[in-house]
Amino acid sequence: MAGRSIVLDTETTGIDPKEGHRLVEIGAVEVVNRRFTGRVYHQYINPERHIDDEVVAIHGIDNAKVANEPTFREVADEFWTFIQGAELIIHNAAFDVGFLDFEFDMLNKERGSPVLGPIKSHCSVLDTLKMARDRHPGQRNNLDALCKRYDVNNSHRELHGALLDAEILADVYLAMTGGQTALVLGDSDHQQTQENQRLADDHASISIQADRQALRVVAPTDAEWQAHRQKLDNIRSKAGSCFWDTLTVSQTERD
């Protein structure tokens, strides 16, 4: 995340823009050199179409909520100025980029000139879902699962919301890449970061005596191995595969 990055999320009326679905909310936070700058972009959007009840149940945005909000064509230029040239960090990027490019394409045709977009011609895109799947194959990698895995507080997330999810994703991404997650502005934060780094360096230099007593290895009982095998069989039957099977374990250790 060196340089300027925008952590971004959208909410929509459905799954596929080619079926006429549109954006209803965009949320984005700016991060420069792994630090929040305080700049955000947040906008509800009138999709100019009905929002189905099953989608409202996910993000809580119904037609009444966005009836008086601007359309995408009214906010597109401001939004484009905010993201242009940045690295976009998005969870399941193909979904959000697909909707944004579709909206830009419709607007360009309406205006008669290709002024805005496509996203990947003007921004780099990092997909945190792909990153998470590469790091944690065979596990759940949605935003809630990653919050639990990386100890990111999302207790205030009752419904999906573009700005809230973008803020949470920024913390998750920084945790996934080993960075500091409590980012604030000011000299005191810079001093705290330096102190954290000093402590980490001190910890890394601790030596371990070579003649220390070896750790005792406790082998599982036959009953424990049987329970373990049964658990793996259940996983295979439900998921079709089991990540354990990809690990290299000696026959002695297995049996």
Side-chain angles (χ1 to χ4, degrees):
M1 193 192 277
R4 181 173 181 264
S5 299
I6 301 293
V7 187
L8 183 145
D9 186 58
T10 66
E11 300 298 340
T12 68
T13 64
I15 298 298
D16 191 346
K18 294 179 181 178
E19 296 179 356
H21 289 293
R22 305 287 302 275
L23 294 171
V24 295
E25 185 186 12
I26 301 173
V29 296
E30 183 183 62
V31 180
V32 175
N33 295 326
R34 303 185 67 85
R35 294 173 60 85
F36 289 118
T37 66
R39 292 187 66 212
V40 303
Y41 180 90
H42 182 228
Q43 182 64 61
Y44 290 107
I45 298 170
N46 185 334
E48 304 178 277
R49 58 153 289 158
H50 179 69
I51 307 173
D52 295 335
D53 290 342
E54 56 266 29
V55 182
V56 175
I58 296 173
H59 52 51
I61 303 171
D62 58 18
N63 286 95
K65 185 169 185 175
V66 294
N68 297 318
E69 297 294 340
T71 63
F72 184 80
R73 70 175 62 86
E74 295 175 279
V75 302
D77 293 286
E78 180 184 3
F79 171 65
W80 182 251
T81 298
F82 186 77
I83 68 169
Q84 188 175 15
E87 174 193 44
L88 303 186
I89 298 173
I90 309 172
H91 201 67
N92 192 15
F95 178 86
D96 302 87
V97 171
F99 265 93
L100 290 168
D101 279 346
F102 191 83
E103 294 278 5
F104 283 134
D105 185 58
M106 285 196 302
L107 180 58
N108 289 333
K109 290 176 180 176
E110 182 180 299
R111 291 178 173 180
S113 60
V115 178
L116 307 179
I119 294 289
K120 289 189 177 180
S121 294
H122 301 270
C123 304
S124 61
V125 177
L126 187 152
D127 188 347
T128 52
L129 178 58
K130 182 180 184 303
M131 176 185 290
R133 285 173 173 169
D134 290 342
R135 294 181 178 219
H136 311 288
Q139 301 182 51
R140 296 183 63 199
N141 289 300
N142 61 30
L143 192 55
D144 286 334
L146 292 176
C147 285
K148 183 176 181 180
R149 188 171 301 143
Y150 288 99
D151 197 26
V152 172
N153 181 16
N154 67 338
S155 59
H156 50 309
R157 184 184 190 241
E158 297 180 0
L159 293 171
H160 288 263
L163 183 58
L164 174 60
D165 284 0
E167 291 170 341
I168 292 173
L169 179 59
D171 282 336
V172 166
Y173 174 77
L174 289 169
M176 286 175 66
T177 55
Q180 141 192 23
T181 59
L183 299 182
V184 295
L185 303 176
D187 292 338
S188 61
D189 179 57
H190 177 66
Q191 293 169 358
Q192 183 63 52
T193 301
Q194 291 180 320
E195 177 65 13
N196 290 342
Q197 184 61 54
R198 184 188 65 77
L199 292 173
D201 292 341
D202 290 345
H203 179 72
S205 65
I206 295 174
S207 61
I208 301 176
Q209 294 180 355
D211 58 351
R212 72 190 185 283
Q213 182 178 0
L215 294 176
R216 186 166 64 94
V217 178
V218 180
T221 65
D222 290 342
E224 289 170 335
W225 267 123
Q226 182 60 34
H228 174 69
R229 294 190 187 98
Q230 184 176 354
K231 180 66 173 179
L232 296 183
D233 287 341
N234 289 338
I235 294 173
R236 294 185 192 101
S237 65
K238 292 181 180 180
S241 64
C242 178
F243 180 63
W244 182 271
D245 296 334
T246 67
L247 301 178
T248 301
V249 183
S250 70
Q251 190 66 28
T252 301
E253 290 172 317
R254 266 202 294 254
D255 299 332

